[in-house]
């Protein structure tokens, strides 16, 4: 078992500031060289404070997103992009509406495709990541079942962007957003484990006591599909940030 470097912070805001500062430094370095920055982005409650900090850096410190290219991890299927439950909506609401990433440089899996178009879409998504030069930085949250993106338990190390079935835990946790578990989509389009592991830098953030049990498992289990986040052990440049609540049972 390989150790994944992890940092314990006092609270979620401190993590948001630290990770936003890393992303900002990367964007500024690339901008100075006239190069693009390719970011893999996540949704959920966890990254909201981080996106708020990036918006602040844009507004108050002139952080320029004009050369940033983004690829989101996942989207529910089926899902209309203009639905308030969509990850399209989430990303625009929390980040894209407030910074200057050109719309043509934003990529989010399309949950509104007919089923027969999904395989080609997923192959093209992988290709676009490659054409952009690969992911410079991948941001991850973690599900209580250990998922990263919507790579649920059972997801293979070599999985790629594809249609996935959502785990019961994931659907239960999303019930509040959809007004009942029955209304949560059963599937999603997600980048794969292999797609994520090809990023040159990975940061996983886990905050709050609900994540304490899974974080203990992630840090003390061998890499396996049972807990997809354990695959970060196979990456040379991954860091996990936890707040004291998510770290509580690790001591
Ligand atoms: P959360 O979701 O940030 O809302 O806890 C994380 C995840 O399921 O990956």
């Amino acid at each position: 078992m390989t150790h994944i470097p992890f940092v314990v912070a006092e609270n979620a805001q401190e993590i948001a500031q630290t990770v936003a500062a890393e992303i900002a430094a990367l964007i500024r370095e690339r901008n100075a060289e006239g190069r693009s920055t390719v970011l893999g982005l996540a949704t959920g409650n966890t990254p909201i404070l981080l996106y708020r900090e990036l918006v602040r850096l844009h507004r108050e410190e002139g952080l320029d997103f004009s050369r940033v290219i983004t690829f989101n991890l996942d989207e529910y299927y089926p899902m209309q992009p203009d639905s308030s439950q969509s990850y399209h909506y989430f990303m625009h609401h929390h980040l894209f509406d407030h910074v200057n990433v050109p719309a043509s440089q934003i990529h989010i899996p399309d949950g509104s495709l007919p089923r027969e178009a999904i395989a080609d879409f997923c192959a093209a998504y992988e290709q676009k990541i490659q054409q952009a030069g690969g992911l410079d930085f991948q941001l991850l949250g973690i599900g209580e079942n250990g998922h990263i993106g919507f790579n649920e338990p059972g997801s293979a190390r070599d999985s790629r962007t594809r249609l996935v079935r959502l785990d019961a835990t994931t659907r239960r946790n999303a019930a509040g957003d959809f007004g009942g578990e029955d209304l949560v989509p059963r599937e999603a389009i997600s980048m794969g484990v292999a797609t994520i592991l090809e990023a040159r830098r990975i940061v996983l953030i886990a905050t709050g006591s609900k994540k304490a049990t899974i974080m203990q498992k992630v840090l003390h289990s061998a890499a396996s599909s049972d807990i997809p986040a354990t695959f970060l052990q196979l990456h040379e440049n991954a860091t996990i940030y936890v707040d004291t609540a998510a770290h509580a049972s690790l001591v």
Side-chain angles (χ1 to χ4, degrees):
M1 195 174 81
T2 322
H3 179 66
I4 312 172
F6 81 95
V7 176
V8 185
E10 200 54 47
N11 56 49
Q13 180 59 24
E14 193 181 309
I15 298 174
Q17 282 171 351
T18 305
V19 178
E22 179 178 335
I23 294 172
L26 178 67
I27 294 173
R28 288 199 174 104
E29 185 187 308
R30 292 302 183 86
N31 284 349
E33 295 167 353
R35 294 167 63 199
S36 56
T37 308
V38 186
L39 302 179
L41 298 178
T43 50
N45 290 318
T46 308
I48 291 176
L49 288 176
L50 165 62
Y51 293 151
R52 197 172 293 167
E53 177 63 8
L54 287 175
V55 170
R56 190 194 68 75
L57 288 168
H58 172 68
R59 285 192 180 145
E60 295 178 14
E61 298 182 23
L63 182 63
D64 176 13
F65 285 78
S66 63
R67 286 193 180 86
V68 170
I69 301 174
T70 68
F71 289 90
N72 263 80
L73 281 167
D74 47 21
E75 178 60 283
Y76 290 108
Y77 185 83
M79 179 56 68
Q80 292 302 318
D82 57 0
S83 160
S84 64
Q85 290 133 345
S86 76
Y87 288 160
H88 277 76
Y89 180 90
F90 176 99
M91 288 307 302
H92 285 85
H93 181 72
H94 290 287
L95 184 65
F96 298 143
D97 286 350
H98 315 291
V99 296
N100 63 329
V101 188
S104 62
Q105 290 165 207
I106 293 171
H107 306 86
I108 306 176
D110 184 354
S112 69
L113 293 168
R115 192 167 283 273
E116 59 275 17
I118 295 174
D120 283 353
F121 176 88
C122 291
Y125 203 74
E126 291 277 337
Q127 241 173 23
K128 282 181 191 166
I129 294 172
Q130 293 305 321
Q131 282 161 2
L135 298 164
D136 290 308
F137 183 104
Q138 177 63 56
L139 176 66
L140 298 173
I142 182 169
E144 285 170 45
N145 62 359
H147 74 199
I148 46 175
F150 276 140
N151 292 291
E152 302 287 26
S155 297
R157 156 74 182 85
D158 61 358
S159 54
R160 293 276 164 191
T161 305
R162 68 207 184 288
L163 186 68
V164 297
R165 280 198 81 72
L166 294 177
D167 197 67
T169 315
T170 299
R171 295 187 63 241
R172 201 175 314 124
N173 284 338
D177 296 337
F178 286 86
E181 201 174 319
D182 283 353
L183 301 173
V184 180
R186 292 179 184 279
E187 292 171 294
I189 296 173
S190 180
M191 275 188 201
V193 173
T195 325
I196 292 168
L197 290 181
E198 280 171 7
R200 286 181 276 277
R201 166 81 171 135
I202 300 178
V203 168
L204 184 150
I205 302 177
T207 53
S209 56
K210 283 185 178 171
K211 302 292 169 68
T213 306
I214 189 64
M215 286 316 298
Q216 179 154 34
K217 290 184 187 159
V218 168
L219 295 171
H220 296 106
S221 309
S224 95
S225 292
D226 296 346
I227 304 175
T230 56
F231 284 126
L232 296 195
Q233 292 171 22
L234 309 178
H235 197 274
E236 286 179 353
N237 192 16
T239 303
I240 293 179
Y241 285 88
V242 292
D243 65 1
T244 45
H247 185 246
S249 62
L250 295 175
V251 288

